[in-house]
Amino acid sequence: MKHLIYYSFILLISLSACSSKTDALAPLRKKAEKSICDDVRGITHSSIDAMSLGLGSMVISSVMSSAQQDSIIMKPFLPMLRKELKTLKKPELESIVDNKKARYKFIAATLVKNKDAMTSALKKSYEFAAPLVDKAIEFVQTQSSQMQ
């Protein structure tokens, strides 16, 4: 009986050690996601301005709350962003958190890779917003190539 308790205790410790694996990069991914989301909001406004002779983001800001604006782009973008962030290793995530140029390159790559899915998701809810993806890609690529 004593051996049964002993082996059960060892088995329980082994199982709990195996099941307690945590994702060490999760906090870093969350930081990168927040930085990217902040940049995407700015990119969205720049894209709207590029399509509307500089007045679009001002009009949008006056008629839509920040949450409504975020739902247009961020709702379809976040799942794709999270999927792409999971493929990155620690040095890449740190670079995205610390370096705007690296963030812009990552955003551009993510938008280009997921362009069709983003455009179709936007067309379902907001027909007018679908061309923003092309403008956003153009803007981010230009900005990332001009940064030092």
Side-chain angles (χ1 to χ4, degrees):
M1 182 68 166
K2 201 176 204 181
H3 292 295
L4 181 62
I5 294 173
Y6 175 74
Y7 289 121
S8 298
F9 182 70
I10 296 296
L11 181 64
L12 183 62
I13 290 174
S14 299
L15 289 175
S16 66
C18 292
S19 66
S20 66
K21 292 181 182 176
T22 59
D23 184 6
L25 295 178
L28 193 54
R29 273 194 205 98
K30 200 66 171 166
K31 275 185 177 178
E33 181 182 316
K34 184 184 179 327
S35 298
I36 290 168
C37 288
D38 291 342
D39 285 343
V40 167
R41 285 181 193 95
I43 292 164
T44 302
H45 281 238
S46 297
S47 301
I48 291 169
D49 286 343
M51 294 175 60
S52 64
L53 302 172
L55 299 172
S57 66
M58 187 171 60
V59 172
I60 297 264
S61 294
S62 66
V63 297
M64 295 176 84
S65 69
S66 295
Q68 290 170 322
Q69 292 176 45
D70 283 352
S71 73
I72 292 173
I73 295 291
M74 300 311 288
K75 186 177 178 181
F77 182 66
L78 274 176
M80 296 167 201
L81 171 64
R82 289 178 179 143
K83 179 182 168 191
E84 294 297 321
L85 284 173
K86 284 184 180 179
T87 66
L88 301 180
K89 296 186 179 0
K90 186 176 181 176
E92 296 163 318
L93 288 169
E94 288 172 340
S95 178
I96 287 171
V97 169
D98 298 332
N99 185 333
K100 191 169 190 168
K101 183 176 182 175
R103 256 192 324 271
Y104 271 41
K105 284 185 176 185
F106 178 77
I107 291 167
T110 302
L111 287 173
V112 168
K113 183 176 181 180
N114 297 289
K115 179 183 174 182
D116 293 335
M118 284 278 301
T119 304
S120 66
L122 285 172
K123 281 183 180 178
K124 287 179 186 174
S125 303
Y126 308 97
E127 182 68 35
F128 71 91
L132 287 176
V133 177
D134 289 326
K135 279 295 180 188
I137 291 169
E138 181 184 317
F139 177 79
V140 175
Q141 288 175 333
T142 302
Q143 291 298 311
S144 66
S145 66
Q146 292 176 354
M147 291 179 179
Q148 302 255 1

